Amino acid sequence: MHDILSQQLTASQRKAVSHIEGPLLVLAGPGSGKTRVITYRIAALINSGVQPHNICAITFTNKAADEMRQRAVALGASAGAHISTFHSLCVRILRRYADNAGINPNFSIYDESDQARCVKQAVKDCELDATNFSPARMLEAISALKNNLVDVDRFKSSAEDFFSKTLAKIYAHYQHILAERNGLDFDDLLMKTAFLLQSYPDVCCQLADRFKFLLIDEYQDTNHAQYVIAKALASPHGNICATGDPDQSIYRWRGADIRNILDFENDWPDATIVKLEENFRSTANILELADNLISFNQNRKEKKLIPTKPSGKDVVVSVCEDEIEEAKTVALCVKELTDQGASLKDIAVFYRVNAMSRLLEEAFIRNKIPYQVVRGVEFYSRKEIRDVLAYLKVLVNPNDEIALLRIINTPARGIGKTTIDKVRDYAAKNRIGFLDAIKKAEHIDSLSKVTKTKLTGFVNMIEQFRMDLTGKVAPLAERVFVESGLAAVLKARGIKEQDALKNIKELIKGAAEYDERVVGTVHELLLLDYLQQISLFSDVDGYDTSSDRVALMTLHAAKGLEFENVFIVGVEDGLLPHAKTDAYNDENELEEERRLFFVGITRAKTGLFISYAKYRTIRGQMLRTIPSQFLFELGIDLTETGQGGKSQVAETDDLSDAAPHFTAGQRVRHKSFGTGRVKEFIDMGENSVVVVEFNTGQTKSLMVKYADLSTI
DNA sequence: CATAGCCGCCTTTTT
DNA sequence: GGCGGCTATG
């Protein structure tokens, strides 16, 4: 079988597949058949006698893991290889070696909103002002520390200035709160695993013995913690195969360190490097644009995209009047494509921010085009779903105060804030958990008799549910939904709540599928496993590739996918690159935004449609936009009209119209105030006002027509 | 203690 | 322009 497989591969691909022992780096450009190579590699390892369960492949999303598993099996490889994301792998390791890691294996995984609550509490505990130390900013800082494996102690000892010292306090409190609730956030999963592997060489050896071959996809987007984990797991045997493309690194903001892939050769001196530069996905003209664009990045290793397909359809750049027209244009183009025989599932629309999906959805609905917004997590963040899950979480992890507080009065059962405060006080005084305090409601003198009864009723219900803990998940979820009273409340409400009911049904259906999947596996706590798994659900995981609908997603979510036809909308300054990035001061941030566009473009096989709107309503205000600089970097003559060239501009744009316009983030120079950055532009025709923060520190509002600002 | 209504906040990307 | 949190009222 192996030989037959090899014949379907190019020479470089074959090299990447057949190189079995020792470190291997596969530098794979977009559309180079990287996924195919990894899958074949798994099959080849198994063919050469490696036990499937000795293989550990790490993918970027659960969806990618599922697909890889299926493909490997389709190639004839027996199932049993461990294929998952870094986070899922860490959950497994942490549960198995919980004692060594110093945690309770029944931990809850805290998502962003849970984290926000905890950090808010921490800020409050430290008696700090939430405006100066906003939870979001603190969380971001803490996340960055964790990704770099800086724990509380280390950060405390290095903190010198006021801000760092304060952050250290909040960090310490935050970790304390999580520990009390037996909760781990996403970053903890990585950090705790990395520390575990560093402190316990024997654990590390056991794992290396279990996973004798390590494969890591999308290596360019690993952060420091993931890097340490990978290195520790592979060090005993050196059988590490990393694949990735530095030009597709788009998660720097999340701690991804591009040096991990650039320095692979230094980390593993005897590494074999295989480059996959041929592109089997896109037409030559699409690749040319991508190549032009990415070559504007200075901080990169030169790499050519070698097309294997001839030039195809012209790339279309559409200039629309506003965002509504843009959405309409996309919908009409989709119709045209389907009229020509394209199927909807071969079409995708990418945008920079999730908020941009709404207008597109409306346009698709109006034009009766089936679509799906690819955002898996949103399902699990719906109120009714979170409610049911909170009940389940409390059953598994009674210390999960976040979940407990959520359900104690949901549905309303007469347990209000005052009661909760009293119970909390009691818990704190007696140094017991919140749930334990409720159990002792009888002993809390400040509570009225009625309240005590209510609390005992609640505890009894929880205890009842707990009897079912070791069984299947779906029946328990259904039971909780009904007996908690949630069902009655939803059913009593109007037609609007039918959606909620449907969602719960969907949840139970999903749980039933889980039960089905794990049938036969021995688990002391299936519910725990289920909850931890769905906590790690990602955006693309909810993407249903089998249904015939247009896919709408962010450029980030598009990573690793490919489509016959791709639309990229909103290619405007302030959106791509996004104004929230520091693209105008920090070349690295600009380059990452450029890579993001590059990733989007290189998803397209034959049809590529790029668009921007001349006016866009932001925060209720319609503003004149500036086309993204990236558009010009594509190397398309944007003034060109007609069909002759390799690209076509759908509508001509009169860029030369009226007084100059500015956008936030733009750098400008003023005769007497010097250089500064535009904070805001208020479009009032010829009386437009621009607010500029000058480098001197002062902020000025200036009338554009008098100010004589020049752009830099 | 529950509910409605108001104010003020934020709005990048995600495992 | 949308959501969450807070307050005033029943």
Side-chain angles (χ1 to χ4, degrees):
Chain A
M1 180 183 87
H2 193 173
D3 287 337
I4 300 167
L5 294 182
S6 299
Q7 280 170 19
Q8 300 172 9
L9 302 168
T10 65
S12 337
Q13 287 179 338
R14 196 174 309 137
K15 192 175 170 197
V17 167
S18 55
H19 175 95
I20 301 281
E21 300 259 323
L24 170 70
L25 175 66
V26 182
L27 284 170
S32 60
K34 181 187 63 175
T35 321
R36 190 180 154 101
V37 164
I38 303 172
T39 323
Y40 274 42
R41 201 179 146 74
I42 292 172
L45 284 170
I46 295 173
N47 272 347
S48 68
V50 175
Q51 290 297 314
H53 75 271
N54 286 144
I55 298 169
C56 176
I58 298 172
T59 55
F60 201 72
T61 63
N62 291 299
K63 178 98 185 159
D66 285 346
E67 276 176 8
M68 193 175 287
R69 214 172 287 128
Q70 280 170 23
R71 283 185 193 161
V73 171
L75 278 182
S78 43
H82 178 99
I83 305 176
S84 77
T85 63
F86 258 110
H87 286 83
S88 298
L89 176 67
C90 290
V91 166
R92 274 188 64 156
I93 294 175
L94 288 174
R95 231 158 60 190
R96 168 92 193 272
Y97 297 100
D99 282 347
N100 292 314
I103 55 172
N104 178 323
N106 288 6
F107 55 84
S108 297
I109 297 171
Y110 277 9
D111 69 9
E112 231 173 277
S113 68
D114 300 328
Q115 283 179 291
R117 275 166 208 269
C118 292
V119 85
K120 252 183 204 166
Q121 183 66 46
V123 172
K124 215 170 145 192
D125 287 350
C126 296
E127 291 173 339
L128 290 162
D129 182 18
T131 47
N132 284 331
F133 298 92
S134 80
R137 279 196 60 187
M138 295 303 103
L139 220 42
E140 202 180 317
I142 291 171
S143 173
L145 289 171
K146 288 184 179 179
N147 285 331
N148 284 310
L149 301 183
V150 180
D151 63 10
V152 172
D153 288 341
R154 207 176 123 198
F155 187 57
K156 257 190 181 157
S157 55
S158 73
E160 278 169 0
D161 57 300
F162 174 71
F163 181 82
S164 304
K165 281 183 174 166
T166 316
L167 178 60
K169 256 201 237 166
I170 297 171
Y171 186 13
H173 260 267
Y174 174 73
Q175 286 307 90
H176 179 73
I177 290 169
L178 283 176
E180 249 183 0
R181 294 167 191 194
N182 192 15
L184 299 183
D185 65 23
F186 289 129
D187 304 313
D188 280 333
L189 296 175
L190 301 176
M191 183 173 75
K192 302 243 177 203
T193 306
F195 284 153
L196 169 76
L197 296 177
Q198 281 177 341
S199 336
Y200 293 90
D202 52 318
V203 169
C204 208
C205 285
Q206 276 180 43
L207 284 166
D209 198 45
R210 161 77 208 274
F211 299 128
K212 293 190 167 76
F213 293 87
L214 192 64
L215 296 93
I216 305 161
D217 195 13
E218 310 284 9
Y219 195 68
Q220 78 280 358
D221 277 321
T222 49
N223 62 30
H224 184 245
Q226 290 166 325
Y227 163 81
V228 166
I229 293 167
K231 194 153 191 210
L233 286 177
S235 277
H237 47 58
N239 296 325
I240 179 171
C241 166
T243 65
D245 177 6
D247 286 335
Q248 292 181 64
S249 169
I250 53 175
Y251 284 93
R252 204 178 87 98
W253 53 276
R254 206 175 75 182
D257 192 343
I258 203 163
R259 283 175 304 181
N260 291 348
I261 193 163
L262 296 177
D263 291 347
F264 189 88
E265 301 164 64
N266 299 334
D267 287 319
W268 305 92
D270 56 335
T272 304
I273 317 278
V274 177
K275 283 188 182 176
L276 304 177
E277 290 176 300
E278 277 177 300
N279 180 302
F280 304 98
R281 180 185 294 151
S282 313
T283 54
N285 51 321
I286 291 176
L287 285 183
E288 195 188 327
L289 302 195
D291 212 13
N292 290 341
L293 174 78
I294 203 65
S295 54
F296 276 85
N297 273 8
Q298 299 300 310
N299 185 17
R300 79 184 269 262
K301 282 188 183 172
E302 186 95 16
K303 188 175 83 219
K304 264 278 165 202
L305 296 173
I306 304 169
T308 61
K309 285 188 180 176
S311 277
K313 285 197 294 183
D314 287 347
V315 172
V316 179
V317 177
S318 305
V319 187
C320 307
E321 197 55 30
D322 56 29
E323 70 272 25
I324 296 169
E325 196 197 293
E326 185 182 44
K328 190 172 140 194
T329 308
V330 171
L332 294 180
C333 282
V334 167
K335 273 200 153 160
E336 215 169 287
L337 285 170
T338 52
D339 285 347
Q340 289 162 13
S343 95
L344 291 173
K345 65 173 169 231
D346 291 334
I347 302 171
V349 188
F350 304 150
Y351 35 80
R352 176 68 234 267
V353 296
N354 281 302
M356 292 171 72
S357 72
R358 260 195 43 199
L359 281 166
L360 291 161
E361 286 187 72
E362 283 167 17
F364 280 139
I365 290 168
R366 260 200 297 277
N367 289 283
K368 299 193 174 59
I369 301 168
Y371 68 90
Q372 61 177 322
V373 180
V374 178
R375 263 212 117 184
V377 280
E378 289 217 319
F379 176 76
Y380 289 97
S381 51
R382 290 196 162 94
K383 189 191 170 302
E384 63 275 13
I385 302 289
R386 287 191 78 106
D387 287 343
V388 173
L389 291 178
Y391 274 91
L392 299 178
K393 280 184 184 172
V394 169
L395 300 185
V396 171
N397 175 13
N399 293 323
D400 192 339
E401 205 178 297
I402 297 269
L404 191 51
L405 283 173
R406 186 179 183 96
I407 61 169
I408 191 163
N409 202 30
T410 308
R413 47 174 75 88
I415 304 173
K417 195 178 176 300
T418 336
T419 310
I420 289 168
D421 285 346
K422 282 175 186 168
V423 176
R424 256 201 176 154
D425 273 358
Y426 183 85
K429 269 191 199 120
N430 294 280
R431 293 171 178 271
I432 56 172
F434 190 60
L435 189 66
D436 288 326
I438 303 173
K439 283 183 193 162
K440 296 196 169 172
E442 287 299 328
H443 306 285
I444 307 176
D445 299 330
S446 54
L447 294 175
S448 72
K449 211 172 175 181
V450 193
T451 314
K452 283 179 184 174
T453 322
K454 285 173 183 164
L455 286 171
T456 338
F458 174 73
V459 168
N460 287 342
M461 176 179 69
I462 297 292
E463 291 300 322
Q464 278 292 312
F465 291 150
R466 219 187 243 159
M467 310 278 222
D468 256 10
L469 210 53
T470 48
K472 288 186 173 183
V473 177
L476 179 59
E478 182 143 31
R479 197 182 146 201
V480 163
F481 177 55
V482 174
E483 290 180 28
S484 65
L486 285 171
V489 171
L490 283 190
K491 277 173 188 156
R493 290 194 192 159
I495 309 153
K496 245 178 143 183
E497 272 66 26
Q498 291 307 303
D499 271 355
L501 263 176
K502 248 167 85 183
N503 289 333
I504 298 285
K505 277 203 182 115
E506 194 64 29
L507 177 77
I508 293 169
K509 201 177 120 201
E513 277 163 20
Y514 170 84
D515 288 331
E516 200 65 20
R517 253 202 320 278
V518 296
V519 93
T521 42
V522 192
H523 255 312
E524 68 288 18
L525 257 183
L526 286 174
L527 181 60
L528 169 70
D529 187 64
Y530 166 78
L531 289 171
Q532 292 182 337
Q533 274 195 28
I534 62 168
S535 300
L536 296 177
F537 230 67
S538 74
D539 269 9
V540 265
D541 293 338
Y543 177 30
D544 177 5
T545 33
S546 64
S547 76
D548 196 26
R549 293 180 285 167
V550 178
L552 273 56
M553 66 188 88
T554 63
L555 285 160
H556 282 90
K559 171 177 169 145
L561 306 176
E562 61 176 21
F563 297 89
E564 205 62 45
N565 296 291
V566 163
F567 292 80
I568 304 177
V569 298
V571 187
E572 294 149 28
D573 192 64
L575 225 38
L576 188 70
H578 199 277
K580 275 273 168 177
T581 63
D582 204 13
Y584 290 98
N585 294 311
D586 184 344
E587 190 68 18
N588 288 322
E589 302 234 332
L590 181 69
E591 295 200 350
E592 174 140 319
E593 294 288 303
R594 194 180 277 120
R595 287 194 293 269
L596 196 51
F597 193 27
F598 174 79
V599 166
I601 291 171
T602 53
R603 302 305 96 195
K605 289 186 185 172
T606 54
L608 178 60
F609 305 82
I610 295 167
S611 62
Y612 71 92
K614 284 197 270 187
Y615 292 88
R616 188 173 293 272
T617 306
I618 298 161
R619 263 210 229 116
Q621 267 214 323
M622 190 192 267
L623 298 176
R624 176 74 206 236
T625 68
I626 296 172
S628 168
Q629 67 175 90
F630 300 152
L631 272 176
F632 304 102
E633 296 172 359
L634 294 172
I636 302 176
D637 181 4
L638 290 174
T639 57
E640 179 186 345
T641 48
Q643 312 293 316
K646 57 177 177 285
S647 60
Q648 73 189 66
V649 178
E651 264 175 68
T652 41
D653 181 21
D654 48 342
L655 287 171
S656 55
D657 115 39
H661 287 76
F662 298 92
T663 46
Q666 206 174 9
R667 293 219 294 155
V668 291
R669 179 176 287 120
H670 184 271
K671 260 193 273 178
S672 41
F673 300 127
T675 58
R677 254 197 318 157
V678 175
K679 281 183 79 175
E680 200 185 350
F681 174 69
I682 301 148
D683 193 355
M684 295 189 288
E686 59 164 340
N687 294 323
S688 295
V689 173
V690 64
V691 183
V692 183
E693 186 179 359
F694 288 97
N695 291 355
T696 53
Q698 55 187 341
T699 302
K700 297 233 177 256
S701 298
L702 307 161
M703 294 279 284
V704 176
K705 63 178 169 184
Y706 300 127
D708 190 26
L709 289 168
S710 53
T711 54
I712 306 172

